[in-house]
Amino acid sequence: MTEPYTEGVPIADTKAPEGPIEKRWETRRFTAKLVNPANKRKLTVIVVGTGLAGGSAAATLAELGYNVKSYCYQDSPRRAHSIAAQGGINAAKNYRGDGDSVHRLFYDTVKGGDFRSRESNVRRLAEISVEIIDQCVAQGVPFAREYGGLLDTRSFGGAQVSRTFYARGQTGQQLLLGAYQALERQIAAGKVEMNARHEMLDLIVVDGRARGIVVRDMVTGEISTEFADAVVLASGGYGNVFFLSTNAKGCNVTATWRAHRRGALFANPCYTQIHPTCIPVSGDHQSKLTLMSESLRNDGRVWVPVAAGDSRAPGDIPEAERDYYLERIYPAFGNLVPRDIASRAAKNVCDEGRGAGPGGLGVYLDFADAIARLGRDAVEAKYGNLFEMYERITGENPYEVPMRIYPAVHYTMGGLWVDYDLRSTIPGLFVIGEANFSDHGANRLGASALMQGLADGYFVLPATVGDYLADGPFPAVSATDPEAVEARDGVESRITRLLAVDGDRTPDSFHRELGRIMWEYCGMERTDEGLRKAIALIRDLRAEFWTRIKVPGTDEELNQQLEKAGRIADFFELAELMCVDALHRTESCGGHFRAESQTADGEALRDDEHFAYAAAWEFTGTGEPPVLHREDLTFEYVHPTQRSYK
Amino acid sequence: MKLTLRIWRQKGRDGKGRMVTYTLDDVSPDMSFLEMLDVLNERLILSGEEPVAFDHDCREGICGMCGMVINGVAHGPERATTTCQLHMRHFSDGDTIDIEPWRSAAFPVIKDLVVDRSAFDSIIQAGGFITAPTGAAPEAHATPVPKPDADAAFEAATCIGCGACVAACPNGSGMLFTAAKITHLGLLPQGQPERYSRVVDMIDAHDEAGFGGCTNIGECTAVCPKGIPLETISHLNRDYLSATAGGKHPE
Ligand SMILES: Cc1cc2nc3c(=O)[nH]c(=O)nc-3n(C[C@H](O)[C@H](O)[C@H](O)COP(=O)(O)OP(=O)(O)OC[C@H]3O[C@@H](n4cnc5c(N)ncnc54)[C@H](O)[C@@H]3O)c2cc1C
Ligand code: FES
């Protein structure tokens, strides 16, 4: 195979202001043009998504005076996938006086991202983190508190400071309900038009500017075109390309992929975060994977049998025949090594035939020592709800039998490319939250996605959208404009085509098969050979999809199989781009491990000389080679070092 | 294991529904209830029949999207468990299982097991928030919150808005849902300025949306997957009385 992509011109300007890094966000806010209040009332912004990013953005834009049209595929904005986040949200408040600061959070995030993120953005994120906590407390988010009534924090994901704010194991739920309530207040005030059970199926670009979307009413099947002065995508991540992931079942790439097809560059699609502590697959019926909070690794010890093929019950395996492999390989960090390292180590021991449980795809997470040391009550106080959830799903009691865990796809760092203003390469199209690529580089730190979603939605976007809109007013657009007609016709004919195939395979059967290809070849470990094979397999499967898919029912009703089939069709195209991106990046970095690029002792080997850039891909046609545009990354404040956890 | 399923099928809002019987003979005890329905749907699609429509998303018991009445009980036989977290090991080989949608005047059926719960959103719109414009917030530590209040507010705030309380209530009341939000916000210092207008406005919206009145039967809390206690309704009643009798509400 020749190289499946071509080189394009580099990205010259990210619009980050010059000058000392701690002044850049202030500078940008000052230079941003303002829209006067009377004009805001005449302007409309479409926001797709009601998670932390979209919910907070829609509420804030409405407060500022804009008219907002908001969309989500669930039956209520309160159910966006953000609701499922458990662990917490980072903020550089330094309430503990343990040496935290904005600069340290900035530093940790750039380093944690394995030096593949943009310094200016990350610095801004760290700065805004403190305001987020103030905002959420004012909204009534019931964060955990200490006896003195002040906010409690914990250290999370191997951070050396205690900067993670939390609400039991339901931080995402509480933060999202805060944003949702602010959004409902604006709906009641008539500033937000809420469209739940509506799915965006295309972007409308007129005269080079994003001016609207094509949506399907998921209850009636009606297709409509909706217009605005700017469009914001807050549609979340694309982890479900793997079929099995910790994401909600409906999470999809359609909104961002359709924008990509319309000209928005897609950056670093191969950067996927695989979380080490999830409940293993129990059978072919498995429909999703459940995350067990990372905090379990604070007290649980990870092990597998020393001998391959040892099928004894864990209690029958004597101490001497157990391999506490994380403690053995990484004596300095032990069970607390970062997510990517813990995940790959689990894969390696399972590949050696030493995995636990059905299919040998699991490792033990054992609390026997913790129970002996702290007592059962103390362990229960700390992890009781997690143990209960585990037992509910597996039917096993983790106080008596060690838990079994296995890595699962959890988060996607890649997404639509955005500049410092969170603007994509299509003027008027902004992208926020997990849907963009901006702040986490090649690996995201625990408790930083919630922070980013809310920073984007409450603080960054409301400031930068105004700067764009101040250039208006833009010419009026309507459903009869040729661009709108073309987009709408495209959506309709695709739906007609999906229904017309009437083949013999279900949407889920294709999705599962695509997921298996991605997990095998574009998962925890990637190779040149494997990725090339995956690209060929994906193309074949995509062709088969369009001749054998069976979608029952019609397009004029609630049709969940039709929704699925449309999302899978887009996943196929994304999957190919992910493999191309993974193939071209011959270094290992963060969540991307290339078997060809490792140190003598099997650790990831980054290649700063050739790969210190973000890869932004341009769409040229389905199955056609995409064009690579590089955004060079420069590090003025945090100097690249190789990570070491030994 | 082998199961007989009797499932409510209804084409659309105005369609006339009926129970339809299906059998499945390859159900694994490790499956979740929704995975069992996935298996049924795969088979229905391939045999040219309409798959069963049901709402779900997170499948982790937190988004509140799933919900069915299983053998007459909202979310099925396990206490404090959403439908998506219910596993087939709680059923036995040869069982017959009845599966129906939430039934309530305020939640019209859209199709099969899918209902319209937007009435819940309208209750929140009426006052289920704290007015706190972005960017105007005081420093978070400016107002300490006693831990017991913070913890109790959190307990009430864990409501996932699934609607099981309404489905279980013989009156079709949404009072547990409404009370959970009033308790959450009313226990926090930030929630005080709007405390009394909130309770009156939310109860008005509750009644307008077509929910029935609360007569303290307690079926709601028995099926609540988050165990929201009946005391939250007492809290709501106290606030409502203060607001209306004590003249704290402007009206
Ligand atoms: C199990 C789990 C636990 C996690 N725990 C943590 C944690 O402890 N800390 C942390 O920082 N991060 C955590 N994360 C990550 C974090 O939750 C997410 O990255 C974040 O919530 C994403 O927010 P978002 O607003 O970008 O998107 P989402 O919350 O995913 O929202 C997407 C929105 O877009 C809408 N949408 C999508 N496609 C369309 C379409 N085509 N048309 C219309 N609407 C559409 C959806 O309806 C939804 O409203 C966790 C993730 C998982 C899976
Ligand atoms: S699917 Fe989210 S609670 Fe059941």
Side-chain angles (χ1 to χ4, degrees), chain A residues 418-433:
Chain A
V418 287
D419 64 15
Y420 188 72
D421 285 354
L422 304 183
R423 218 164 105 174
S424 74
T425 45
I426 300 177
L429 180 70
F430 293 78
V431 191
I432 59 177

Side-chain angles (χ1 to χ4, degrees), chain B residues 158-174:
Chain B
T158 57
C159 165
I160 59 174
C162 63
C165 47
V166 178
C169 176
N171 308 332
S173 174

Side-chain angles (χ1 to χ4, degrees), chain A residues 420-635:
Chain A
Y420 188 72
D421 285 354
L422 304 183
R423 218 164 105 174
S424 74
T425 45
I426 300 177
L429 180 70
F430 293 78
V431 191
I432 59 177
E434 192 173 340
N436 73 24
F437 90 116
S438 71
D439 297 350
H440 308 293
N443 178 47
R444 174 177 70 77
L445 292 182
S448 285
L450 303 182
M451 168 173 76
Q452 183 225 331
L454 290 180
D456 288 1
Y458 281 133
F459 298 102
V460 182
L461 180 91
T464 59
V465 150
D467 180 70
Y468 171 78
L469 292 172
D471 288 342
F474 308 119
V477 283
S478 81
T480 53
D481 285 353
E483 292 89 344
V485 172
E486 183 265 337
R488 185 196 166 109
D489 286 354
V491 166
E492 283 178 343
S493 65
R494 200 163 90 124
I495 290 175
T496 310
R497 209 177 139 205
L498 283 169
L499 288 164
V501 177
D502 195 25
D504 60 355
R505 282 191 66 175
T506 63
D508 267 358
S509 83
F510 279 106
H511 197 174
R512 272 182 202 279
E513 189 172 341
L514 175 66
R516 273 195 295 268
I517 297 171
M518 293 303 284
W519 182 241
E520 180 69 26
Y521 301 109
C522 200
M524 278 184 278
E525 183 173 313
R526 296 135 179 210
T527 64
D528 183 276
E529 190 193 344
L531 289 162
R532 287 178 198 276
K533 185 167 171 195
I535 293 171
L537 289 170
I538 292 165
R539 288 182 179 170
D540 289 350
L541 192 62
R542 189 179 67 225
E544 191 180 329
F545 174 87
W546 285 105
T547 54
R548 289 186 60 191
I549 184 76
K550 185 171 180 79
V551 181
T554 70
D555 60 349
E556 288 169 350
E557 59 182 328
L558 179 71
N559 187 336
Q560 295 174 325
Q561 300 298 322
L562 178 63
E563 294 158 19
K564 267 190 203 174
R567 293 172 191 163
I568 297 164
D570 291 329
F571 277 137
F572 271 117
E573 298 185 8
L574 166 77
E576 191 171 327
L577 185 67
M578 287 172 74
C579 292
V580 171
D581 186 40
L583 179 69
H584 111 282
R585 193 171 282 276
T586 56
E587 67 163 350
S588 295
C589 63
H592 169 66
F593 185 80
R594 276 291 296 262
E596 300 91 339
S597 181
Q598 47 182 307
T599 61
D601 51 357
E603 297 303 328
L605 185 62
R606 225 177 48 226
D607 176 357
D608 290 336
E609 192 188 332
H610 299 102
F611 289 100
Y613 62 83
W617 297 95
E618 178 187 342
F619 182 79
T620 59
T622 307
E624 297 297 321
V627 181
L628 170 65
H629 301 273
R630 298 164 203 252
E631 177 200 329
D632 281 326
L633 299 169
T634 47
F635 295 92

Side-chain angles (χ1 to χ4, degrees), chain B residues 34 56-66 82-84 160:
Chain B
L34 299 186
H56 65 102
D57 202 25
C58 73
R59 297 200 175 192
E60 283 190 12
I62 191 75
C63 75
M65 187 103 175
C66 67
T82 54
T83 302
C84 60
I160 59 174

Side-chain angles (χ1 to χ4, degrees), chain A residues 145-193:
Chain A
R145 288 183 181 259
E146 298 174 329
Y147 284 98
L150 299 180
L151 294 166
D152 194 14
T153 53
R154 57 186 176 199
S155 91
F156 196 72
Q160 285 157 315
V161 290
S162 180
R163 63 159 76 101
T164 304
F165 294 78
Y166 67 100
R168 191 91 52 80
Q170 282 118 289
T171 317
Q173 180 196 28
Q174 296 308 321
L175 294 173
L176 183 62
L177 291 181
Y180 158 75
Q181 287 164 200
L183 178 64
E184 292 295 336
R185 182 164 78 90
Q186 296 301 326
I187 296 171
K191 291 304 289 179
V192 176
E193 171 197 304

